[in-house]
Amino acid sequence: MHVDVVTIFPDYLTPLELSLVGRARRAGLLDLAVHDLRSWTQDVHRTVDDTPYGGGAGMVMRPEPWGAALDELTAPGRPPARLVVPTPVGERFDQAMAQRLAVEPRLIFACGRYEGIDQRVIEHATSRMPVTEVSLGDFVLFGGEVAVLVILEAVTRLIPGVLGNAGSLDEESYADGLLEAPVYTKPPQWRGHEVPEVLRSGDHGRIARWRRDQGLRRTVTRRPDLIAKLAPEKFDKKDIAVLQAAGFQVSAADMAE
Ligand code: 5OB
């Protein structure tokens, strides 16, 4: 996958040299280029922002440097790309979106700062390429750079060859729509706290059922919205008993055989 990131703070993206994302780059699985938006400015002050039309606090990113940057990065002969714009008004990022982005041949990330990018940049880009405005959740950041770090880490680990162990991808949280059970390692006793007996039993059937129950209990208390999204036929009788014991209202239709 080829990725371009355009930002006024290229140094914010240096963590992408580290860890497994850095290894994916060195392995040639991820081809990443970070660009300074100011290199597409024309004036001596390298201005990227101005006051908002209609008034209000803060500054807005001017369209001209963004237009020049996107023109150059999408010039004829370059591979077609999807533009990804992190913004609190975007479509909510989740594992399903990470999976869709992971199969794109090329992504261009546009990092906004201040109150955002002049909307005409998004409108114009939409006439030339697929565009996704992405939000990480209902909170405010100074700019899109850290959101790009999050999105790229989620996407990179889904690129074939990046994760050694293929099984770990579908066993993890969200693969079955539930949060995962707690995990433990040695020692078996630590500061008076014990590893649950079932995990040391060697009984793989019991262990799988225990993990399912723990995942259900966590999900119902911490993320009831995820339970509500699951199809009723995904729950067996034991699941329904666990959900009811946790105080979750299971409808009569869900309980039908
Ligand atoms: N808040 N997701 C939630 C976001 C965000 C802010 C951003 C980008 C993505 O930039 C200001």
Side-chain angles (χ1 to χ4, degrees):
M1 173 184 287
H2 185 96
V3 173
D4 294 282
V5 182
V6 183
T7 168
I8 60 166
F9 292 121
D11 289 347
Y12 244 105
L13 284 305
T14 54
L16 296 173
E17 286 165 20
L18 305 175
S19 183
L20 293 162
V21 178
R23 195 176 76 183
R25 291 174 74 183
R26 293 189 293 276
L29 298 167
L30 173 66
D31 172 18
L32 176 80
V34 180
H35 312 273
D36 187 347
L37 178 69
R38 291 191 202 274
S39 69
W40 285 283
T41 57
Q42 300 284 343
D43 62 310
V44 285
H45 302 294
R46 309 182 91 196
T47 309
V48 294
D49 63 334
D50 209 330
T51 53
Y53 274 114
M59 301 290 268
V60 173
M61 292 190 110
R62 291 178 60 104
E64 302 96 323
W66 282 110
L70 295 176
D71 284 352
E72 183 174 328
L73 293 176
T74 63
R78 308 206 47 173
R82 171 176 296 275
L83 179 65
V84 181
V85 186
T87 164
V89 300
E91 182 187 338
R92 183 68 173 265
F93 186 67
D94 62 10
Q95 193 64 21
M97 191 189 291
Q99 273 159 359
R100 294 195 297 275
L101 294 178
V103 296
E104 295 273 355
R106 184 174 178 209
L107 300 173
I108 300 174
F109 288 93
C111 298
R113 283 263 142 183
Y114 318 114
E115 298 306 305
I117 303 170
D118 187 305
Q119 192 61 32
R120 293 169 294 179
V121 173
I122 316 301
E123 283 172 26
H124 182 262
T126 301
S127 71
R128 303 205 159 176
M129 67 191 104
V131 177
T132 311
E133 293 179 87
V134 182
S135 168
L136 295 189
D138 299 333
F139 50 85
V140 183
L141 300 171
F142 285 133
E145 286 78 6
V146 170
V148 169
L149 294 178
V150 170
I151 295 164
L152 269 182
E153 182 154 325
V155 168
T156 301
R157 57 191 295 291
L158 298 176
I159 298 172
V162 170
L163 270 193
N165 176 6
S168 58
L169 271 187
D170 36 65
E171 277 175 24
E172 67 193 4
S173 276
Y174 305 112
D176 62 0
L178 296 176
L179 301 184
E180 283 198 353
V183 296
Y184 301 87
T185 186
K186 289 161 278 297
Q189 310 269 352
W190 181 76
R191 298 189 178 184
H193 296 255
E194 192 166 86
V195 174
E197 178 279 325
V198 53
L199 295 179
R200 293 174 286 145
S201 70
D203 181 340
H204 298 296
R206 256 181 87 216
I207 291 169
R209 186 65 246 179
W210 180 87
R211 285 183 169 153
R212 172 94 182 164
D213 293 352
Q214 293 290 318
L216 281 163
R217 284 168 52 179
R218 273 188 166 174
T219 310
V220 79
T221 53
R222 300 174 183 186
R223 295 293 307 279
D225 59 303
L226 293 180
I227 300 276
K229 275 206 302 199
L230 286 175
E233 61 269 21
K234 296 271 182 189
F235 300 120
D236 63 21
K237 275 187 173 162
K238 182 75 201 302
D239 290 342
I240 288 162
V242 170
L243 291 174
Q244 283 183 325
F248 191 82
Q249 288 304 313
V250 181
S251 76
D254 295 349
M255 299 192 65
E257 295 290 315

